[in-house]
Amino acid sequence: MSLKNILLAIFCFAFSIHSKAQLYGKEDSLLTAYKKGKADTNQVKTINHLVNVFLYSEPEKAKEFIKEGLILSNKLNYQKGQNMFLYQKGAYYTNLPNYDSAVIAYNQALKYARLIKDQRAVVRAMNGKAVVKIESGHYDEAIQLLNETIPFIHETEDTLTLAVTYSHLANSYKAKGYTKVALEYIQRSIKELKTLDAEMRLADAYYLMGDLEVDLNHYEDAFANYEKAAVIYRKQKDYYFLTELLYSLSWLSVKKEDWIKADKMLDSTRVHANSHGLDYILGKVANLNAQVQLAKGNYQEAERFVNQTLKEARRQGDKLEEANALSLKGKLLNKMGRAAQAIPLHNESLKYFEENNVLGGLIFVYENRSESYKNMGKYNLALNDIEAYKLWSDSSANIAKTKQIEELRIIFDTEQKEAEIENLALEVDKSNLQKSLFAGGMFSAICIAGLLYFGYRQRSKRTKAEFEQKEALVKSELAFKRKELVTQTLHLVNKNALIEDLKNDLKEIRKTSETHTKEIGKIIKDLQQENASDANWEVFKSHFAAVHNDFDIKLRSKAPDITDNEIRLAAFIKMKLSTKEIAGMLNVQPESVTKSKYRLKKKFNLDADEDFDVFLDQI
């Protein structure tokens, strides 16, 4: 389990009754009090403090204290103690990790929290379950649990718990790829944490905010947040998270292509990792070193580092890191003129990326394997990989755009929920005010009228704002669909042009070659079939219909005898494709397209001098 994952568990631990930070250096006094203590509720609290001290540094010792605390709480029938230790049991299993046992413990803690009617304990247990969902990759369930806790948190006015919940939400949305939503939540968390004496949690929040800024390519902002976190980690002598942070700063330097700073930060990370026994991070450091040396053209050094990465990934059983290293080594071997040796590495990493739907990995491998095939003279295989690369790249872009729109929805929904909470508070205040003013007679009536008018004005403003947000969302969706249609159209046009060029080249080769003429003929035939495939039209049609709704119905209303092929032609004309491009799309000669345009124009009873493009634009 990496330290970045342990970060979530530490956030979860923030809900303990006393912060671990308050107990640093008090182990001896607590153990003395424990040994002298009687079997009463004070002893239960002492044991709980000891669990807090040892839960992350010596978990097996903490486990024994949890067991003892539960036995004593059961003996005393002390439900608050039972709740505390069941929650701690859940935290212990979360860190192992043993998620099933953790959820069972948190559910038991939740039961006792409701029995004693302790809202803070309810929130603590629900957030514990949310951490398990985050770490096990069930982010939607985590978000649902966290949102359910927020009304309880507002009731208790617990600022620390609210800040930690916002951090959990930020982690969940970051994992789902909704970076802007995550950024909003971590900013809220930081705002709350600044009002508290919670320096370590503030450092963790700055760290996460830095990661989010990197995802948004805001490198200077990322660096500033990382530096804020580093200052606190050094002050608190938390070398574990400091080492993780140094690695993140190394990665940021690589992304900025600042190779001098990258070398310096990687050396610092390696020293800290070795000093504090963080072996797991050494493989990641070696991977970044390999990327730096590859970019600088030091291929022998890059190969040495990538081999270190592979060795460390295999030792730890980290399949993702191994696949990343294999794909990087494949790219490196291309640069070194060893394309044939790269192919097995591409294939092995591709298998993992396909099985686990790692989109970035698929794009990287298809691009670099196509380069290997090209260097080997296997142009048909290179073409196939280029097509796959374009397909996955387009898919990645579409996913990113879809997430942007979904982010707008989430932000809009969140603002609505917050407005509802604010409205409820206003309604309560208004109700109380109305009751008190009613006794005051006419003056009260005037005040109430003024209050109602003010409420009406506020609702009108909110309604207008909501309408503008919805309108912006619809416009954004339509703009995305239009861009998607243009992208798909250009992709199909370029693809058909490429196929046509390949066919012509192969025909020329067949004329001059005495061997493999049969194989070349088969490839030409396959390319012709691909060009004539209806699959291209179906893909185009789905994107076209999303932007130009009921286009075919409108055409049929003006020309009932229009055919499907003529509707297809009209759609291509509406997209401003040239006659040559349409011919490529339909796999016919340009002269045939010109004749079809003339016949279609007659079906709509248009005069010879009427502009067909303008006519279609109005439909």
Side-chain angles (χ1 to χ4, degrees):
M1 182 175 167
S2 74
L3 285 175
K4 293 295 282 292
N5 286 336
I6 293 174
L7 171 62
L8 294 171
I10 289 176
F11 270 137
C12 183
F13 177 57
F15 294 101
S16 298
I17 291 174
H18 294 284
S19 167
K20 181 178 178 180
Q22 295 174 309
L23 302 174
Y24 283 147
K26 296 183 180 180
E27 295 92 333
D28 292 340
S29 59
L30 284 169
L31 285 168
T32 301
Y34 162 72
K35 289 171 183 175
K36 293 181 179 179
K38 298 177 182 180
D40 56 16
T41 55
N42 285 328
Q43 182 74 335
V44 170
K45 293 172 184 176
T46 300
I47 295 171
N48 184 56
H49 290 330
L50 286 167
V51 173
N52 287 342
V53 169
F54 295 116
L55 187 58
Y56 299 99
S57 58
E58 298 180 60
E60 291 309 309
K61 186 180 284 189
K63 180 184 177 183
E64 292 304 313
F65 280 121
I66 290 169
K67 185 177 179 181
E68 186 178 342
L70 271 173
I71 291 170
L72 180 56
S73 297
N74 290 336
K75 184 179 177 181
L76 297 171
N77 194 27
Y78 184 38
Q79 291 181 332
K80 187 173 182 179
Q82 290 166 319
N83 165 261
M84 286 191 299
F85 290 112
L86 285 167
Y87 170 78
Q88 300 281 34
K89 189 177 180 181
Y92 166 79
Y93 280 123
T94 300
N95 294 339
L96 278 182
N98 183 336
Y99 298 136
D100 291 340
S101 296
V103 169
I104 291 169
Y106 285 135
N107 281 334
Q108 291 172 334
L110 188 59
K111 182 183 77 172
Y112 280 104
R114 285 171 174 155
L115 279 173
I116 61 178
K117 297 180 180 178
D118 186 336
Q119 294 287 57
R120 294 193 180 198
V122 168
V123 171
R124 186 172 60 216
M126 290 177 72
N127 274 274
K129 285 174 66 177
V131 167
V132 172
K133 296 300 181 184
I134 292 169
E135 291 208 24
S136 58
H138 299 100
Y139 303 114
D140 289 328
E141 292 179 52
I143 289 166
Q144 183 178 346
L145 277 166
L146 293 166
N147 282 325
E148 285 174 8
T149 67
I150 289 176
F152 296 120
I153 298 170
H154 281 295
E155 285 180 26
T156 59
E157 298 182 350
D158 187 342
T159 305
L160 175 60
T161 303
L162 184 62
V164 173
T165 301
Y166 285 152
S167 295
H168 285 322
L169 284 165
N171 271 302
S172 301
Y173 281 116
K174 181 182 187 300
K176 282 170 64 67
Y178 298 136
T179 308
K180 289 182 180 178
V181 179
L183 193 64
E184 282 211 1
Y185 276 113
I186 202 61
Q187 286 171 338
R188 293 181 191 184
S189 179
I190 289 171
K191 181 181 177 182
E192 301 295 342
L193 288 168
K194 281 181 176 179
T195 66
L196 303 168
D197 182 19
E199 203 171 39
M200 282 299 293
R201 294 183 191 101
L202 182 59
D204 295 336
Y206 280 135
Y207 191 173
L208 177 56
M209 189 166 177
D211 286 346
L212 292 167
E213 296 288 11
V214 171
D215 291 342
L216 292 168
N217 297 323
H218 301 161
Y219 298 144
E220 295 306 318
D221 291 336
F223 182 79
N225 282 290
Y226 284 153
E227 282 297 309
K228 289 177 185 176
V231 168
I232 297 173
Y233 289 144
R234 287 191 181 98
K235 177 183 173 183
Q236 297 290 342
K237 297 182 179 179
D238 191 328
Y239 298 115
Y240 294 98
F241 285 116
L242 180 59
T243 306
E244 278 274 339
L245 184 58
L246 289 171
Y247 172 77
S248 295
L249 283 164
S250 304
W251 171 239
L252 178 56
S253 300
V254 170
K255 291 203 75 166
K256 292 174 68 177
E257 299 184 358
D258 186 343
W259 309 125
I260 295 174
K261 189 167 186 176
D263 282 333
K264 180 181 175 182
M265 297 308 306
L266 284 166
D267 286 341
S268 183
T269 307
R270 191 184 307 106
V271 169
H272 276 77
N274 285 321
S275 298
H276 302 289
L278 303 177
D279 293 341
Y280 79 92
I281 206 171
L282 292 174
K284 297 199 295 182
V285 170
N287 186 294
L288 275 187
N289 266 313
Q291 293 182 50
V292 171
Q293 298 306 320
L294 176 60
K296 292 163 72 173
N298 300 329
Y299 299 146
Q300 298 298 330
E301 274 294 283
E303 187 172 21
R304 182 173 70 84
F305 279 121
V306 82
N307 286 336
Q308 284 182 19
T309 306
L310 279 168
K311 181 180 177 181
E312 192 61 30
R314 286 164 178 161
R315 186 183 70 80
Q316 294 181 31
D318 189 335
K319 296 296 184 184
L320 175 59
E321 192 66 30
E322 182 182 355
N324 285 332
L326 286 168
S327 61
L328 180 61
K329 188 171 182 179
K331 179 178 180 177
L332 174 62
L333 291 175
N334 280 345
K335 297 286 186 182
M336 299 173 77
R338 293 152 60 186
Q341 294 177 36
I343 295 298
L345 305 183
H346 293 316
N347 293 342
E348 189 176 347
S349 58
L350 187 63
K351 182 180 178 184
Y352 176 86
F353 293 142
E354 286 177 338
E355 288 174 353
N356 295 276
N357 197 29
V358 182
L359 192 57
L362 290 169
I363 293 168
F364 186 87
V365 173
Y366 278 123
E367 181 182 24
N368 286 286
R369 194 173 70 173
S370 72
E371 188 70 18
S372 297
Y373 282 135
K374 187 179 82 171
N375 293 341
M376 295 167 65
K378 297 184 177 182
Y379 298 112
N380 197 33
L381 292 174
L383 174 65
N384 290 340
D385 275 2
I386 282 292
E387 281 295 307
Y389 164 71
K390 288 180 179 177
L391 177 67
W392 287 110
S393 296
D394 288 346
S395 176
S396 177
N398 290 341
I399 288 170
K401 284 293 181 184
T402 303
K403 283 185 174 178
Q404 285 180 11
I405 292 171
E406 185 61 23
E407 279 187 312
L408 286 173
R409 290 188 187 280
I410 293 166
I411 292 168
F412 174 67
D413 290 342
T414 302
E415 288 176 352
Q416 277 197 316
K417 287 176 184 175
E418 289 177 347
E420 286 171 10
I421 292 171
E422 185 185 339
N423 283 342
L424 285 172
L426 282 171
E427 288 297 326
V428 170
D429 291 342
K430 187 175 78 173
S431 176
N432 292 335
L433 187 60
Q434 284 175 334
K435 287 176 183 176
S436 61
L437 290 177
F438 182 72
M442 184 60 70
F443 177 73
S444 301
I446 294 169
C447 290
I448 291 170
L451 183 64
L452 290 172
Y453 176 72
F454 173 75
Y456 169 76
R457 288 287 302 275
Q458 290 297 103
R459 280 195 297 273
S460 297
K461 288 180 182 178
R462 278 196 294 273
T463 302
K464 183 181 178 182
E466 288 172 6
F467 172 78
E468 288 174 351
Q469 282 182 315
K470 287 179 180 177
E471 187 179 38
L473 186 60
V474 170
K475 286 180 178 177
S476 177
E477 285 179 332
L478 185 57
F480 167 58
K481 288 175 181 177
R482 282 177 178 152
K483 187 173 181 181
E484 197 175 41
L485 173 59
V486 171
T487 301
Q488 184 61 32
T489 305
L490 290 172
H491 172 70
L492 290 177
V493 169
N494 291 335
K495 175 186 171 184
N496 288 327
L498 178 62
I499 289 173
E500 196 62 33
D501 289 343
L502 280 170
K503 279 166 52 184
N504 293 333
D505 290 345
L506 287 168
K507 286 174 183 177
E508 290 299 318
I509 292 170
R510 188 166 60 172
K511 288 178 184 177
T512 58
S513 176
E514 295 180 0
T515 58
H516 304 297
T517 54
K518 188 179 290 185
E519 290 84 353
I520 292 172
K522 185 178 182 303
I523 294 173
I524 292 172
K525 184 178 179 182
D526 289 343
L527 290 171
Q528 286 173 334
Q529 287 176 343
E530 170 62 24
N531 225 6
S533 171
D534 281 339
N536 291 338
W537 163 244
E538 292 301 324
V539 172
F540 172 85
K541 187 167 70 171
S542 65
H543 290 292
F544 186 85
V547 176
H548 303 291
N549 196 24
D550 296 335
F551 181 70
D552 55 340
I553 295 172
K554 292 172 183 175
L555 289 179
R556 290 188 193 281
S557 68
K558 295 179 179 293
D561 60 339
I562 193 172
T563 66
D564 289 341
N565 284 338
E566 287 171 332
I567 290 174
R568 184 184 307 194
L569 174 61
F572 290 150
I573 296 170
K574 189 173 178 69
M575 287 304 299
K576 310 301 182 189
L577 297 185
S578 68
T579 300
K580 184 180 178 181
E581 288 169 340
I582 295 172
M585 297 281 279
L586 299 177
N587 198 29
V588 297
Q589 294 299 316
E591 295 79 9
S592 178
V593 174
T594 303
K595 291 176 183 177
S596 297
K597 277 185 180 180
Y598 176 74
R599 286 195 296 269
L600 185 57
K601 194 173 178 181
K602 286 187 69 176
K603 280 196 176 183
F604 290 111
N605 298 318
L606 297 176
D607 295 333
D609 58 345
E610 285 190 72
D611 192 326
F612 196 27
D613 288 7
V614 173
F615 171 77
L616 290 175
D617 284 341
Q618 294 171 349
I619 295 179

